[in-house]
Amino acid sequence: MRRFVIVGQKATTAPEFSLDDLPATSGRLDVLLRCVQTALLVSHGLRRDALVYLVLLGGPRSPRAIRIDGRVAEYVRPDERSLAGLVKKLLATATDAPGFVPLAHGMSVAAGGLDAVVRDLGHFTPYVLEEETQDLRECPLDLRDPVFFVGDHVGFDETTRGRIAELGATALSVGPVRVHAHDAIAILWNEIDRRDARSSRG
Amino acid sequence: MRRFVIVGQKATTAPEFSLDDLPATSGRLDVLLRCVQTALLVSHGLRRDALVYLVLLGGPRSPRAIRIDGRVAEYVRPDERSLAGLVKKLLATATDAPGFVPLAHGMSVAAGGLDAVVRDLGHFTPYVLEEETQDLRECPLDLRDPVFFVGDHVGFDETTRGRIAELGATALSVGPVRVHAHDAIAILWNEIDRRDARSSRG
């Protein structure tokens, strides 16, 4: 499984955000939704070897974490409004249980943040996308159980950055230009897909 | 300038589509909007060396083409709904002039399709993104005046495909997995950014 942990510094845990103005009312949940889209979806389908966690650090009930499991997920559509509607429903029905509670169609919510995610991860090799670090193309990658930590449009807060460093995450850069988080995920997936293709060719 | 021509087979020319249900009411304009986003936007800004054409082949007044010029564009926001609102306004104020009529903030509309775009392009080296063709990473690229033709979620119709072939476009593949058009553009930009960085290092 290739797993992605997307951390939204201000992304809201409150389902009252407006679908008509996501950027202004949801703490830029739109940034995270685009990451979900790129991490999970390919042309006409889902990546069944992918799993996404969203860590929501904004809003009244923060932190909360959402998990979408590509192995079993359904109804994940590519447009932002559909994805936002999905997250709205998940947040509205979430309980205060600290672990991940399955809600529907491969989606779960936990009343916890990065710690709840790390407890859920089990065995993994951590990587973190960071600008001006080691070039992804030059870096060995664990293709079996990698976990990629990705920041939102304002990057990681210091606490999150420290926590990821404690995990021993290898920093990777996707290229010389600062691109949006979801574009970085597209570039990362492309490198993984190429290595998968090479290893399946033997 | 790096220019992108995104062709929407069903994308509507009629501004009456619903912002609340883009996929079902706009002929999947959402697919094209995500391409605009990735082609033009980087973290906290616009790519000032990029220009995007959208060719809309669906709806009552088709074909129409929209041009967004990164050199001078303003108010291009990353979320789909904002971009959709922008396109709605452009289509509502468009005239029936066959060439590109500047409307606002670096945006223009033409009452024509691919032919209007090709007339507007002037000098260029054409490339077309196609699965299972030459690997982008292995291909020489004109970094001065490339034009990249990109299909939507259903690819190119036969007429468009023939027209692009007549232009002598080089087919490029971004990788072994069929990804969404906007993810393909992210991967393409990454390759261009890397070559730019190499050539600026000398």
Side-chain angles (χ1 to χ4, degrees):
Chain A
M1 287 293 283
R2 286 73 189 261
R3 291 178 288 179
F4 300 83
V5 181
I6 325 288
V7 182
Q9 273 201 51
K10 306 280 180 202
T12 188
T13 57
E16 292 80 17
F17 60 82
S18 163
L19 295 178
D20 294 348
D21 191 359
L22 276 182
T25 64
S26 71
R28 296 306 306 278
L29 197 60
D30 60 305
V31 172
L32 276 65
L33 299 176
R34 289 192 287 277
C35 291
V36 169
Q37 195 189 77
T38 300
L40 284 183
L41 298 176
V42 285
S43 203
H44 307 293
L46 271 136
R47 289 186 183 265
R48 294 299 182 185
D49 60 342
L51 190 151
V52 177
Y53 295 92
L54 301 182
V55 179
L56 313 176
L57 299 179
R61 288 176 287 271
S62 65
R64 288 231 150 135
I66 292 175
R67 186 181 69 191
I68 309 179
D69 185 339
R71 287 172 296 193
V72 290
E74 289 180 86
Y75 310 109
V76 181
R77 297 214 177 77
D79 67 297
E80 274 169 39
R81 192 181 173 94
S82 298
L83 285 170
L86 204 70
V87 166
K88 195 186 238 305
K89 267 189 223 160
L90 289 172
L91 291 174
T93 50
T95 67
D96 285 329
F100 281 91
V101 177
L103 292 174
H105 312 299
M107 299 171 205
S108 320
V109 182
L114 196 57
D115 286 338
V117 170
V118 171
R119 273 193 301 276
D120 199 59
L121 285 170
H123 176 77
F124 65 100
T125 308
Y127 299 92
V128 56
L129 295 192
E130 286 273 18
E131 285 139 17
E132 298 178 23
T133 60
Q134 189 181 193
D135 182 359
L136 168 71
R137 289 196 192 176
E138 312 293 327
C139 184
L141 283 177
D142 170 13
L143 295 179
R144 276 185 63 86
D145 289 308
V147 170
F148 301 98
F149 292 89
V150 183
D152 64 5
H153 59 300
V154 287
F156 296 109
D157 60 289
E158 281 313 305
T159 311
T160 302
R161 191 184 298 278
R163 192 75 187 83
I164 294 170
E166 279 166 28
L167 294 171
T170 302
L172 299 174
S173 158
V174 299
V177 169
R178 295 185 63 183
V179 297
H180 283 150
H182 69 290
D183 290 335
I185 292 172
I187 297 161
L188 172 58
W189 257 126
N190 182 250
E191 184 63 25
I192 295 172
D193 290 337
R194 286 168 175 271
R195 295 194 193 189
D196 281 345
R198 276 204 295 274
S199 68
S200 73
R201 280 198 303 266
Chain B
M1 287 293 283
R2 286 72 188 263
R3 291 178 289 180
F4 299 83
V5 181
I6 324 288
V7 182
Q9 274 201 48
K10 305 281 179 199
T12 188
T13 57
E16 292 80 17
F17 59 83
S18 163
L19 295 178
D20 294 346
D21 191 359
L22 276 182
T25 65
S26 71
R28 295 307 305 277
L29 196 60
D30 60 306
V31 172
L32 276 65
L33 298 176
R34 289 192 287 277
C35 291
V36 169
Q37 194 190 75
T38 299
L40 284 183
L41 298 176
V42 284
S43 204
H44 307 291
L46 271 136
R47 289 187 182 266
R48 295 298 182 187
D49 59 343
L51 190 151
V52 176
Y53 295 92
L54 301 182
V55 179
L56 312 177
L57 299 179
R61 288 175 286 273
S62 65
R64 288 231 149 134
I66 292 175
R67 186 181 69 191
I68 309 179
D69 186 339
R71 286 172 298 193
V72 290
E74 290 180 87
Y75 309 109
V76 181
R77 297 213 177 78
D79 66 296
E80 276 171 37
R81 193 181 172 95
S82 298
L83 286 171
L86 203 72
V87 166
K88 195 185 236 308
K89 267 190 222 158
L90 289 172
L91 291 174
T93 50
T95 67
D96 284 329
F100 281 91
V101 177
L103 293 175
H105 312 299
M107 298 172 207
S108 319
V109 182
L114 196 57
D115 287 337
V117 170
V118 171
R119 274 194 301 276
D120 199 59
L121 285 170
H123 176 77
F124 65 101
T125 307
Y127 299 92
V128 57
L129 295 192
E130 287 272 18
E131 285 139 17
E132 298 180 20
T133 60
Q134 189 180 194
D135 182 359
L136 167 70
R137 290 197 191 175
E138 312 293 326
C139 184
L141 284 178
D142 171 13
L143 295 178
R144 274 185 64 88
D145 289 308
V147 170
F148 301 97
F149 292 89
V150 183
D152 63 6
H153 59 299
V154 288
F156 297 110
D157 60 288
E158 281 312 306
T159 310
T160 302
R161 190 183 300 277
R163 191 76 186 83
I164 294 170
E166 279 167 28
L167 295 170
T170 302
L172 299 174
S173 158
V174 298
V177 168
R178 295 185 62 183
V179 296
H180 283 150
H182 68 289
D183 290 335
I185 292 172
I187 296 161
L188 172 57
W189 257 127
N190 182 250
E191 183 63 25
I192 294 173
D193 289 337
R194 286 168 175 272
R195 295 195 192 189
D196 281 346
R198 276 203 295 273
S199 70
S200 74
R201 280 197 304 265

